[in-house]
Amino acid sequence: MDSLNDPYELSVCVPSVEVFRRLRTDAGLSDKDPEAAALALPNTWHGVVLHHEGEPIGMGRVIGDGGTAFQIVDICVHPAHQGRGLGKRIMAALTGELERRAPATAYVSLIADGPARFLYEKFGFADTAEHDSIGMYRVMGGSPGLSGSGAEP
C-alpha cells in the first residue's frame, strides 16, 4: 500500500493505561491491573502504537535493561484490522529499533502464542527448545502450586 493511501499510521510512543488495557482485551489478550500497567508503561524501552483514522488499533513494546536483555511484549492488533500485515509492521518497527540501538550481544526474547510464531520467525526468532533451552514463566499471585516445584500439574 502506498503511503498516500495508507489509512494506518504508526507512532513511536507508549500507550496510555486506558489504551493499553483496551487494545489488549480487544485483541483477546489478558487484561492487566490499571495500577500495574501504570507502573510498567513508563519503563518501556521502545513502544509503538498503530492508529486507524486517529483511533489506536494496535501496539507493541520492547522492555528490558537497555543492554543485555530485552523482551518484545504486548503485540496486538484489533480483530477488525487483522490479516492486513499490521502485526508485521509493528514487529518491523520494534526489531528495527533493536537493531539500531541494542548491543550486538543483547538477548531478545518473546512468547509466541499459537500461529504468531510464524510472524516472529520472519524476524529471526527461533524456538528456544531447539537450542536446549526452555521458556518458563510464573505469574505473581497465581496458583499456590506453582511456587513449589515449578511445574504445573
Side-chain angles (χ1 to χ4, degrees):
M1 198 176 284
D2 69 59
S3 60
L4 293 177
N5 295 323
D6 186 356
Y8 297 98
E9 180 185 346
L10 189 73
S11 302
V12 173
C13 64
V14 178
S16 68
V17 169
E18 296 76 21
V19 168
F20 171 80
R21 293 181 68 219
R22 181 180 55 77
L23 289 175
R24 285 186 58 86
T25 57
D26 285 354
L29 302 177
S30 63
D31 194 6
K32 296 295 180 186
D33 178 78
E35 291 80 18
L39 288 170
L41 291 172
N43 293 308
T44 300
W45 184 80
H46 185 73
V48 296
V49 175
L50 188 63
H51 294 85
H52 179 259
E53 298 177 353
E55 182 69 22
I57 56 93
M59 68 175 172
R61 299 188 309 132
V62 177
I63 59 173
D65 64 14
T68 65
F70 298 87
Q71 186 172 27
I72 294 177
V73 296
D74 304 320
I75 303 288
C76 60
V77 174
H78 189 283
H81 299 272
Q82 291 176 1
R84 300 177 187 174
L86 300 173
K88 189 174 185 178
R89 190 184 297 190
I90 291 168
M91 276 299 293
L94 297 179
T95 57
E97 191 66 17
L98 283 160
E99 289 164 0
R100 279 188 290 283
R101 293 182 21 207
T105 56
Y107 185 85
V108 182
S109 63
L110 56 78
I111 304 254
D113 295 329
R117 71 174 300 137
F118 302 113
L119 169 65
Y120 303 140
E121 286 172 348
K122 291 177 184 175
F123 289 91
F125 288 86
D127 186 336
T128 60
E130 295 175 10
H131 302 279
D132 291 327
S133 182
I134 185 168
M136 300 179 80
Y137 77 97
R138 176 180 173 194
V139 177
M140 302 310 296
S143 185
L146 294 179
S147 60
S149 68
E152 287 191 33

